[in-house]
Amino acid sequence: MNADLPGWAVDMTDLHTHAAPSLLPRHGDDRATVAAERAVGFGTVVLKAHEGSTVERAALAGEGVYGGIVLNSPVGGANPDAVAVAARLGGRIVWMPTVSARTHKLGASSPALSVHRGFELRQVDVLSVTGTLLPQWHDVLDVIAEHDLLLASGHLSADETVVLFREARRRGVHRLMVNHPKMAFLGWHEAAARALQELDAHLELGILPDLLGDADHASLTLTHSYPSSLLVFGGDLGHADHDPPADAVAPWLHALEKRVGEDVAAAIMTTQTRSLLL
């Protein structure tokens, strides 16, 4: 094991890592990315791709590797058949639109999204003009509930996520996760935080948001404002313009440990995150 890692950093789970092939520059392909994650203590790794499904790729990448599907325009947005196929092939996460999200497009000039410039997809709407969930998403939520998948917010705003997650809970979805909630373009605020906590929604702590240098929007600030039992880990590493796991993981883990203590940090990074996935 990497000597720079905390002693408890063994068999961790990462719910959010990017690899090639991709329309964005990545540090390595699936196998290289998984190997890099293994080298810093991750026994369970989830591959994510804005372009669509990683389920088939994960099946070829080795034991303990899982995939999912991102509901951007290349897969048709609100496509329950695509979700059902991903689930039947072993997928575990359904991400709402990311690059196709209205909030992403409105925040495209945000520093947090600078690495996506030049990569554009057709917009996929989630809410109506009156702020209600569009009916085509109901079937998607029903498939997620049927297969007990993890529903992730993608690049929806905090307010959009609250509307979505409330309906998801009503329709029987049990696993909910907000991706990088403190990124500024997503509009995090305390009323949304309270609503999400009432829904038992988990928040994703990530390394990439904390590498961006905006202390007010660092994900680690969530450790002081949200129940630690509802925090999980998704590093969001992989883009070639940012540090690889070998450089980024150990310092971030030590910062997490400093904030919450060894036992809580270990729980977040291992059993807590893995149980949300599986």
Side-chain angles (χ1 to χ4, degrees):
M1 188 179 77
N2 187 319
D4 294 331
L5 294 169
W8 51 263
V10 178
D11 199 22
M12 299 183 293
T13 294
D14 187 347
L15 299 177
H16 190 163
T17 188
H18 292 280
S22 173
L23 297 177
L24 292 167
R26 303 301 186 193
H27 279 293
D29 63 15
D30 294 335
R31 289 187 178 275
T33 297
V34 170
E37 291 259 316
R38 297 259 192 263
V40 291
F42 290 99
T44 303
V45 178
V46 177
L47 298 173
K48 177 183 179 183
H50 298 293
E51 298 83 358
S53 174
T54 54
V55 177
E56 298 88 346
R57 291 166 52 176
L60 299 174
E63 186 177 354
V65 184
Y66 295 87
I69 188 167
V70 181
L71 297 180
N72 283 325
S73 59
V75 302
N79 186 343
D81 288 346
V83 174
V85 168
R88 292 175 64 188
L89 290 174
R92 292 301 306 148
I93 302 184
V94 176
W95 290 274
M96 292 298 286
T98 56
V99 180
S100 285
R102 179 176 181 272
T103 297
H104 179 105
K105 290 182 173 294
L106 290 173
S109 62
S110 165
L113 297 179
S114 62
V115 294
H116 295 89
R117 287 172 193 160
F119 174 36
E120 296 185 8
L121 297 174
R122 181 171 51 82
Q123 183 167 310
V124 172
D125 290 322
V126 176
L127 302 188
S128 71
V129 293
T130 61
T132 60
L133 189 68
L134 291 168
Q136 59 262 39
W137 290 99
H138 294 169
D139 288 344
V140 171
L141 294 179
D142 290 344
V143 174
I144 292 171
E146 177 186 355
H147 293 276
D148 194 24
L149 304 178
L150 170 55
L151 172 62
S153 63
H155 291 184
L156 301 188
S157 71
D159 288 333
E160 290 171 320
T161 299
V162 170
V163 173
L164 171 72
F165 281 9
R166 281 176 174 157
E167 182 62 19
R169 278 286 188 223
R170 195 181 74 79
R171 304 184 86 88
V173 177
H174 298 296
R175 304 171 191 260
L176 303 171
M177 178 176 68
V178 184
N179 294 120
H180 37 60
K182 291 298 292 289
M183 279 192 169
F185 78 100
L186 298 176
W188 184 254
H189 57 89
E190 288 308 309
R194 290 192 297 270
L196 291 163
Q197 184 177 335
E198 290 172 2
L199 293 167
D200 285 330
H202 288 72
L203 305 187
E204 176 189 74
L205 301 180
I207 296 177
L208 176 59
D210 298 357
L211 287 176
L212 298 176
D214 184 350
D216 291 336
H217 296 98
S219 73
L220 283 173
T221 63
L222 293 166
T223 60
H224 295 319
S225 61
Y226 205 78
S228 61
S229 61
L230 292 174
L231 299 177
V232 293
F233 179 76
D236 199 7
L237 296 177
H239 196 286
D241 285 356
H242 296 296
D243 290 345
D247 298 326
V249 171
W252 190 90
L253 291 178
H254 284 293
L256 173 64
E257 183 180 51
K258 184 176 180 180
R259 281 178 172 265
V260 301
E262 179 178 323
D263 291 345
V264 174
I268 290 171
M269 298 301 301
T270 57
T271 54
Q272 207 156 285
T273 299
R274 183 176 173 83
S275 65
L276 184 64
L277 177 69
L278 302 175

